[in-house]
Amino acid sequence: MTMFSKFVHRVIHKSCGLLLLPVILLTGCAVNSSNSGLYLSKNIDDSSKVELIEKISSDATEFLSWKYAPAKTQFDFEAHTNDEFGNALKAKLRKKGFSISEKLSGGKILTYLLDDNNTIVRLILSVDTTTYGKVYDVNGKNDYKWSVMRKGE
């Protein structure tokens, strides 16, 4: 376990974890088209990865459905979203009633970053200029609330 992993583990499992959660989420996390996508480590095996992506994409869909009106919102995904997570998220959003575009066409631009450090999994969603984040354990358990990391204009 790396020093960072030990730190994250300690922060998450202590009472002060909620105060430092935004710091963990903000660590290297400006999401744009050049670094958006799925970046899970090789330490997560394929069967666990499929289950993890299913849980996190479902949670992200529920969150976006709460924040944005499904029948009235179009999300424009940028080029780097044809990975397992992006495909699962797009399918779930379509099922909820969102319009999805694979190119920029006047909707809300949606980018994401899903990565891990062998202890936690971090999802960062950017919708236009507002960025949200959430952490999960490596099994997809999500005892934490969504954080607004950067509020747009």
Side-chain angles (χ1 to χ4, degrees):
M1 190 178 269
T2 67
M3 292 286 280
F4 180 70
S5 297
K6 288 179 186 177
F7 168 76
V8 168
H9 185 269
R10 194 174 307 125
V11 165
I12 287 176
H13 290 93
K14 300 288 183 189
S15 61
C16 68
L18 293 178
L19 296 174
L20 292 176
L21 182 59
V23 173
I24 294 168
L25 290 170
L26 287 170
T27 307
C29 68
V31 180
N32 57 46
S33 62
S34 64
N35 68 349
S36 65
L38 174 69
Y39 299 99
L40 292 178
S41 70
K42 304 279 188 234
N43 294 328
I44 299 176
D45 63 64
D46 287 340
S47 62
S48 297
K49 183 177 176 183
V50 169
E51 187 176 329
L52 181 66
I53 287 171
E54 176 64 27
K55 288 179 180 179
I56 295 176
S57 63
S58 293
D59 187 47
T61 299
E62 289 304 314
F63 174 72
L64 290 169
S65 297
W66 175 71
K67 292 294 287 182
Y68 302 94
K72 298 179 179 179
T73 304
Q74 174 180 313
F75 288 121
D76 293 348
F77 282 79
E78 292 187 339
H80 301 83
T81 60
N82 286 324
D83 53 47
E84 298 98 320
F85 181 78
N87 292 335
L89 182 60
K90 287 183 268 190
K92 287 176 182 7
L93 289 170
R94 280 187 182 106
K95 191 172 181 179
K96 279 282 192 183
F98 288 98
S99 177
I100 302 298
S101 175
E102 302 285 336
K103 60 184 182 201
L104 302 181
S105 60
K108 294 187 175 298
I109 299 169
L110 176 61
T111 58
Y112 62 86
L113 176 65
L114 181 65
D115 64 1
D116 73 291
N117 71 351
N118 300 327
T119 304
I120 62 165
V121 177
R122 172 182 68 167
L123 175 61
I124 298 169
L125 295 173
S126 287
V127 179
D128 286 337
T129 59
T130 303
T131 304
Y132 309 98
K134 190 168 185 182
V135 295
Y136 304 81
D137 71 12
V138 292
N139 298 312
K141 187 175 178 189
N142 57 2
D143 291 336
Y144 305 99
K145 297 189 182 300
W146 286 91
S147 296
V148 177
M149 298 166 52
R150 183 179 72 219
K151 183 86 169 153
E153 302 293 322

